[in-house]
Amino acid sequence: MQQDMDIRDCLIRAGLIDPADPVRIEALPGGVSGDVFRVVLKDQTVCVKRALPRLRVAKEWSAPVERVQNEAAWIRYAARIAPHCVPKVLAEDKANNLFVMNYFPPEDFPGWKAELRAGKVDAVLAADVGRVLANIHAASAKDESAPAMFRNDEIFFALRIEPYLLNTAVAHPDMGRHLHGLAERLASTKIALMHGDVSPKNILHGKIGPVFLDAETASFGDPAFDLAFCLNHLLLKCIWVPASTKEFCRSFSALQSAYFSRLDWEPAGTFEARAAQLLSAFLLARIDGKSPVEYIVDDRDKAFVRIFAREFLSRNSQSLDEIRTNWETRVLAR
């Protein structure tokens, strides 16, 4: 098939294989925004990623396929700051919108989401995620070349602002003023390099720390987006695995504290206010936006999240601790 030929041609041009070398290409599961392949070569195994023009979700959701180039650029940039926390880009084919990186065996690099689902909640890993993320934000905030390198407003709007904020406003028109205001501010805030998808499903648990994947929505913008996006997942996991609620909330605090220990580009209070407001919006978006979490399906659970998110969104909460404390109390009281 053409896709296999494109992958093989990319590997040949990069010098990773000779034209006569055998290659085994295996599709990996779980890709929402792109196709991911495990490719077994003569002397190593690599991973190939290719973007899809339409994401695999229930609602119509399209985005520029050039975003895969954006991901490769973010990996190269982050490698300058945290080399052990990102893959290595081995080859790139911009014409066919794919790139090759090293492969992480799941037995050595388990997914953070899978660990959380199993009730294996490691606050040390959460703190490492916060620390590495803040280091990348801090370095890029001081880098005068970063804004021009990651001027990806179109991609960020298509993959984050529209589906998570504007689409959620359609489902909750009475919250439209808050959600549209957040969308406008997010689009105009230019402070640091965002990963854009800091989720447990995109983080591997390596022996020396986290490994960040899937940065195709990377853009120069508001670093509060990344922190709120990740903290949101830790709160929602309390609905998925209620028995681990205290551990999830402990990891929330560990990640938050480690992140703030490295925050030096703006006043912490200013940053926290933006993160807290986005967190409230993301809770609502992962129920009624274009990309709802797949593990909250019970109507009672959805209603619980909606009521909480709407309350704190309308309250315009400025405090992450306030949100986390109230969430933990209410989940445990269910």
Side-chain angles (χ1 to χ4, degrees):
M1 60 186 298
Q2 185 60 48
Q3 186 153 251
D4 289 1
M5 292 176 61
D6 291 342
I7 292 173
R8 188 178 182 89
D9 288 346
C10 178
L11 296 170
I12 292 171
R13 287 195 300 273
L16 293 171
I17 63 170
D18 293 326
D21 285 349
V23 171
R24 188 169 80 249
I25 301 174
E26 306 167 352
L28 296 175
V32 172
S33 64
D35 290 322
V36 184
F37 303 92
R38 177 177 180 263
V39 183
V40 182
L41 311 181
K42 183 171 58 176
D43 57 352
Q44 64 176 314
T45 299
V46 299
C47 183
V48 175
K49 183 170 182 180
R50 189 175 204 171
L52 292 170
R54 185 184 186 281
L55 279 66
R56 295 187 180 102
V57 295
K59 296 183 180 180
E60 181 71 27
W61 188 358
S62 300
V65 292
E66 294 80 10
R67 65 188 186 273
V68 77
Q69 301 171 22
N70 190 40
E71 178 174 354
W74 182 90
I75 291 171
R76 291 189 178 104
Y77 190 95
R80 294 157 42 184
I81 302 149
H84 299 297
C85 297
V86 292
K88 182 178 181 181
V89 177
L90 303 174
E92 188 174 5
D93 183 347
K94 293 185 177 181
N96 289 303
N97 292 297
L98 61 83
F99 75 95
V100 184
M101 56 186 159
N102 58 302
Y103 176 73
F104 294 98
E107 60 270 20
D108 296 325
F109 294 87
W112 192 20
K113 181 178 179 179
E115 289 189 332
L116 296 177
R117 178 66 180 101
K120 184 180 178 182
V121 188
D122 186 346
V124 174
L125 175 62
D128 287 342
V129 168
R131 194 173 298 110
V132 172
L133 190 61
N135 286 342
I136 295 170
H137 289 164
S140 60
K142 302 176 183 72
D143 182 356
E144 295 181 355
S145 69
M149 292 169 61
F150 293 93
R151 193 176 289 122
N152 301 318
D153 291 356
E154 179 185 357
I155 292 174
F156 192 75
F157 179 87
L159 287 171
R160 290 295 172 262
I161 293 177
E162 191 281 329
Y164 285 88
L165 298 176
L166 302 184
N167 191 268
T168 305
V170 174
H172 295 271
D174 59 327
M175 294 286 107
R177 178 176 62 86
H178 299 285
L179 293 165
H180 280 273
L182 289 175
E184 291 170 8
R185 187 180 69 191
L186 190 56
S188 62
T189 302
K190 306 296 180 184
I191 296 174
L193 174 58
M194 302 176 289
H195 174 284
D197 199 1
V198 185
S199 162
K201 73 178 176 62
N202 296 330
I203 297 173
L204 304 179
H205 191 169
K207 290 182 171 58
I208 56 174
V211 176
F212 292 75
L213 306 173
D214 293 341
E216 59 189 40
T217 49
S219 181
F220 197 86
D222 189 352
F225 177 94
D226 277 348
L227 181 65
F229 200 83
C230 190
L231 292 178
N232 180 48
H233 280 280
L234 290 174
L235 293 187
L236 292 175
K237 296 298 182 289
C238 298
I239 307 298
W240 199 22
V241 191
S244 297
T245 293
K246 289 186 177 181
E247 288 75 16
F248 288 134
C249 290
R250 191 175 298 118
S251 287
F252 179 113
S253 296
L255 197 157
Q256 175 189 342
S257 178
Y259 184 95
F260 275 81
S261 73
R262 304 298 175 95
L263 196 164
D264 63 359
W265 57 87
E266 64 176 299
T270 303
F271 176 94
E272 182 175 9
R274 296 199 312 276
Q277 291 156 16
L278 285 169
L279 176 56
S280 298
F282 292 156
L283 283 167
L284 192 59
R286 296 319 295 260
I287 299 300
D288 293 320
K290 194 171 282 189
S291 181
V293 290
E294 82 286 357
Y295 52 82
I296 298 181
V297 295
D298 183 83
D299 287 342
R300 178 174 172 268
D301 291 338
K302 289 181 179 181
F304 174 86
V305 179
R306 284 190 190 105
I307 291 168
F308 185 96
R310 286 170 55 86
E311 175 187 337
F312 280 83
L313 185 60
S314 61
R315 189 189 295 185
N316 197 25
S317 177
Q318 310 282 303
S319 168
L320 293 170
D321 286 338
E322 179 190 27
I323 294 174
R324 191 261 310 153
T325 300
N326 276 273
W327 178 269
E328 181 176 3
T329 299
R330 296 185 196 186
V331 171
L332 291 175
R334 295 180 77 200

